[in-house]
Amino acid sequence: MTWPVTLLGLAGQVFSLVMAHRTAAPPAPGSEYVGGSKISVRRVRGRSRVTLRRLSRNRRTAPVPLFAFSDGSAEGLSWPRRALITLIETARRWDHVADRQLVPLLTAQPALVHRAGSAALSALVRIRSLPPELLDAIESGLPFRNPELDAGAAEIALHVTPFRLRRAGQDAAARAEIHSDLAHRLHTVRAYGAAVIRIEASVKLLEELAGQGDLYVERLASCLDWAGIMNEFKGDHVRALECTRQCAALFQELAARHKDRPETYGRLQRRLTYVLANLAGRVLLGPAERLEVAQEAVEACRGLVHGDSVPDDVELAGALQNLGVALLGLGRHGEPLGPLREATDIRRVQAAGDFAFYAQHLEQLLGGLTRQLDLLGRREEARSAARERVGVLRRLAEADPGRFAGALERVERQLEDLG
């Protein structure tokens, strides 16, 4: 009988296929691949014959040159994103794909993950064999406040922070920066409680370093500004106001000490505009004090604006927005419209240049402008502002449905109510 021989031959072929899967190679049109071997099935005299052919080393490492887009030739193409997502998911399931394909690829081109989206970034954390040094390099290159990447970036940052802290050792300045960076990532995805823990850890470390020079004082002031913002979002309004007031005082002291150095003085004054705008927005400020701080912030900003364009590092839009809120809080209902319109115009220009960073600011201002116009009985203008707000939210929801789809539905209902 020949069937035992045939069965043994088939078993040998299966074993060969399994062993071949130790290495990986990308698929190509018209071919089938397992690991580093090409499988071909041919009909010979009515029988199927399976043959294996080992691929050359350069074929097995094809993903590296496949994704080489230094000339920008892949801009606008959709297949690199799909291919990268598939490769990441495959590497999550099979260690050898991670070791021999994904790690060399991302080591050579860490910025590739910008194409993959947030879910693929999160999958990277679950690949056991991915070196922490590689995840560190990937996260360091990811932008802040990008709706398509924020959630995954925060997950990677949380994952690599213990590695970074071990590497920093007892270097207090480095540890403060690590905590601060993670706080920003967490705040962006609305993990406000966790963000506050990290930013307060950074504040504590920088307070210990502040006596060593103005460099650390400025870093402490910036950290306190963010501590105020994050505590306000968390709901600890007392701590938020305390941090922002302390921050403003530090920047004012620094600016006074550097009046004879125009470049440094100008930079500190521009940074102070953000702090004063934030201070004007603190919940615990009384109406009269809020108006006073907001007017001071607007005046400081206007002193730094020359010509028609507003530099991105001068927070005139935020100051005008809080001025409008302060006027409304005092019952001066006709006056907020001017500041809100001007602030919205500034945010439109900024969002046109960097939508990912400024879109949420613009959306918030359009909401305030819609309410103000509706309050004044200017319904058609209110509908126009609301339609623009819906357009901004649609773009944000396309990038991150989990965070913005609910807001989009709510604003669409408000637009319907306006008629």
Side-chain angles (χ1 to χ4, degrees):
M1 296 180 63
T2 59
W3 67 265
V5 177
T6 303
L7 185 59
L8 286 172
L10 180 60
Q13 291 176 358
V14 170
F15 177 76
S16 297
L17 291 175
V18 172
M19 294 303 292
H21 197 63
R22 290 175 299 174
T23 58
S31 302
E32 297 292 338
Y33 291 87
V34 173
S37 299
K38 178 180 179 181
I39 310 169
S40 62
V41 181
R42 295 184 298 149
R43 298 290 293 180
V44 179
R45 295 180 181 178
R47 295 184 180 182
S48 297
R49 178 173 295 178
V50 179
T51 60
L52 299 172
R53 182 168 59 85
R54 298 297 295 175
L55 294 174
S56 63
R57 181 177 179 82
N58 64 326
R59 293 285 297 279
R60 295 198 301 271
T61 58
V64 174
L66 181 66
F67 287 97
F69 301 127
S70 58
D71 61 351
S73 59
E75 289 302 319
L77 298 178
S78 60
W79 72 261
R81 177 187 176 96
R82 296 197 305 270
L84 188 58
I85 291 171
T86 301
L87 180 60
I88 290 172
E89 178 59 23
T90 305
R92 186 182 69 80
R93 299 184 184 194
W94 291 313
D95 289 344
H96 72 273
V97 177
D99 296 340
R100 303 183 187 184
Q101 303 291 339
L102 187 63
V103 170
L105 175 65
L106 295 184
T107 300
Q109 302 177 67
L112 268 179
V113 291
H114 294 201
R115 296 174 175 272
S118 190
L121 290 177
S122 297
L124 288 176
V125 174
R126 292 184 283 278
I127 298 176
R128 295 166 296 180
S129 59
L130 223 60
E133 294 85 357
L134 178 55
L135 286 173
D136 175 45
I138 288 171
E139 192 279 335
S140 298
L142 291 171
F144 282 88
R145 299 192 67 169
N146 184 315
E148 290 190 354
L149 301 174
D150 284 340
E155 194 166 352
I156 293 179
L158 192 61
H159 185 79
V160 300
T161 290
F163 163 76
R164 289 172 170 173
L165 290 172
R166 288 193 301 272
R167 184 177 60 187
Q170 299 304 310
D171 186 337
R175 295 178 73 86
E177 186 174 359
I178 292 165
H179 285 298
S180 177
D181 287 347
L182 179 56
H184 282 79
R185 292 290 190 197
L186 294 169
H187 177 75
T188 302
V189 296
R190 303 178 184 178
Y192 300 130
V196 164
I197 291 172
R198 295 293 180 169
I199 202 69
E200 293 287 6
S202 185
V203 167
K204 184 176 180 180
L205 288 164
L206 289 169
E207 283 175 339
E208 297 172 358
L209 295 169
Q212 298 182 22
D214 284 351
L215 173 64
Y216 293 113
V217 174
E218 185 175 346
R219 286 184 60 183
L220 172 61
S222 296
C223 205
L224 283 165
D225 186 26
W226 277 104
I229 294 169
M230 293 175 189
N231 275 289
E232 189 89 330
F233 274 93
K234 181 192 171 189
D236 189 344
H237 304 305
V238 173
R239 177 60 178 162
L241 181 58
E242 176 188 354
C243 289
T244 309
R245 278 183 164 154
Q246 188 180 352
C247 170
L250 287 175
F251 271 118
Q252 287 165 343
E253 291 173 10
L254 284 168
R257 287 205 293 269
H258 291 279
K259 274 192 173 182
D260 57 338
R261 300 174 61 186
E263 185 176 342
T264 302
Y265 179 73
R267 175 173 54 77
L268 292 168
Q269 287 292 99
R270 291 191 296 273
R271 187 66 182 82
L272 183 59
T273 65
Y274 280 85
V275 180
L276 292 174
N278 289 332
L279 182 58
R282 291 293 162 260
V283 169
L284 291 185
L285 284 185
E289 187 180 4
R290 184 187 307 280
L291 178 61
E292 181 182 350
V293 175
Q295 288 172 330
E296 181 185 356
V298 170
E299 184 179 348
C301 290
R302 294 204 187 282
L304 296 168
V305 175
H306 307 289
D308 296 332
S309 62
V310 179
D312 287 343
D313 60 352
V314 175
E315 182 57 346
L316 179 57
L320 287 166
Q321 180 178 5
N322 285 328
L323 176 60
V325 172
L327 291 167
L328 195 61
L330 288 169
R332 296 158 63 170
H333 298 294
E335 297 179 56
L337 184 58
L340 289 176
R341 280 192 186 280
E342 185 179 357
T344 304
D345 289 340
I346 294 169
R347 291 297 191 214
R348 282 194 188 103
V349 174
Q350 292 174 329
D354 188 349
F355 183 82
F357 191 85
Y358 288 105
Q360 293 177 63
H361 292 298
L362 176 59
E363 183 271 325
Q364 185 183 43
L365 261 169
L366 287 167
L369 183 60
T370 300
R371 288 188 293 272
Q372 181 64 19
L373 289 165
D374 188 37
L375 182 67
L376 296 175
R378 300 165 73 161
R379 302 277 287 186
E380 184 55 42
E381 292 177 85
R383 283 193 290 271
S384 177
R387 282 192 292 270
E388 184 180 357
R389 187 185 183 194
V390 167
V392 172
L393 277 169
R394 278 179 181 157
R395 288 184 63 182
L396 288 170
E398 286 174 4
D400 191 344
R403 287 171 59 196
F404 298 105
L408 174 60
E409 291 178 6
R410 185 173 63 254
V411 174
E412 285 177 331
R413 287 195 299 270
Q414 292 172 357
L415 177 58
E416 292 175 1
D417 293 341
L418 286 170

